[in-house]
Amino acid sequence: NAKRQPVSIDVVRATACELSPIVKAMLAIHIQTGMRPAELCDMRPKDIDRSGEVWLYRPAQHKTKHHGKPRVIPILGDAREALIEYLNRAPDSHCFSPKEADAWFRAKLRSERKGYGSYKPTKGTLRAGTKYSPQSYRQAIERAAKRAKVGHWVPYQLRHLNLTEVRQA
């Protein structure tokens, strides 16, 4: 496979304009921290140590856990600002809910509707889950990128974007 390249920040900004506030917050955190998409999707309030000046996220599950290696992700700056709104939930619940994003999207459609009809899901319509998976997060970004008419990109490229910025600093 070809080496994965970082996505352009201009492409990310254009895509962000087409995202729900929840996925937009996830995107901001992802850019700032460079964590893996699975770690972002599994984030829960109880996994974040907010006692110090720098918040520390310790994912319950991560890629190298079976090797006995700890994983600690610092959360500060824009990532911290984007996360604050999503910490006011039960400690065991996930910070980012597709159900909330779905409700936001449906409210947006209702506000843009010209007629008086009501939305009724067709038989077999999928319902949003209680947490994002890396695949559903990727799909939300791919659909927003398509609506924004920018090139195809995937969330893992944000990790490369973050690491490129760190190396250049």
Side-chain angles (χ1 to χ4, degrees):
N1 292 338
K3 186 176 178 185
R4 189 171 307 272
Q5 297 297 314
V7 64
S8 161
I9 195 68
D10 295 328
V11 170
V12 174
R13 285 186 182 124
T15 303
C17 293
E18 298 293 327
L19 291 170
S20 71
I22 293 163
V23 181
K24 196 180 289 190
M26 291 174 73
L27 191 65
I29 295 164
H30 201 169
I31 291 168
Q32 291 294 313
T33 61
M35 69 177 85
R36 293 178 180 92
E39 295 166 340
L40 177 65
C41 293
D42 288 339
M43 189 178 281
R44 299 174 300 178
K46 76 175 192 177
D47 298 329
I48 301 167
D49 176 8
R50 295 177 264 172
S51 62
E53 189 172 315
V54 175
W55 291 357
L56 300 173
Y57 170 45
R58 291 180 176 87
Q61 298 294 321
H62 58 87
K63 185 177 177 178
T64 57
K65 184 177 181 179
H66 67 282
H67 291 298
K69 294 185 178 186
R71 176 88 166 122
V72 180
I73 301 164
I75 299 175
L76 46 115
D78 293 339
R80 188 170 167 168
E81 291 294 319
L83 183 59
I84 287 174
E85 182 180 339
Y86 301 96
L87 294 175
N88 296 331
R89 16 190 114 231
D92 283 338
S93 66
H94 292 88
C95 291
F96 308 107
S97 166
K99 284 184 179 182
E100 292 174 16
D102 187 52
W104 174 87
F105 186 70
R106 291 185 191 288
K108 181 181 173 199
L109 288 177
R110 276 192 302 277
S111 70
E112 294 171 352
R113 189 171 41 227
K114 304 284 189 250
Y116 293 102
S118 62
Y119 171 78
K120 292 181 182 169
T122 59
K123 187 175 182 180
T125 301
L126 294 176
R127 295 287 179 203
T130 57
K131 76 168 202 134
Y132 277 94
S133 68
Q135 293 79 18
S136 60
Y137 174 54
R138 175 189 48 77
Q139 189 176 48
I141 288 177
E142 286 177 345
R143 288 177 177 168
K146 189 174 182 179
R147 286 191 302 270
K149 296 179 175 66
V150 296
H152 172 81
W153 63 279
V154 294
Y156 219 88
Q157 288 177 273
L158 296 173
R159 187 169 165 82
H160 292 271
L161 173 65
N162 178 277
L163 295 174
T164 301
E165 295 294 321
V166 167
R167 278 191 213 116
Q168 291 176 352

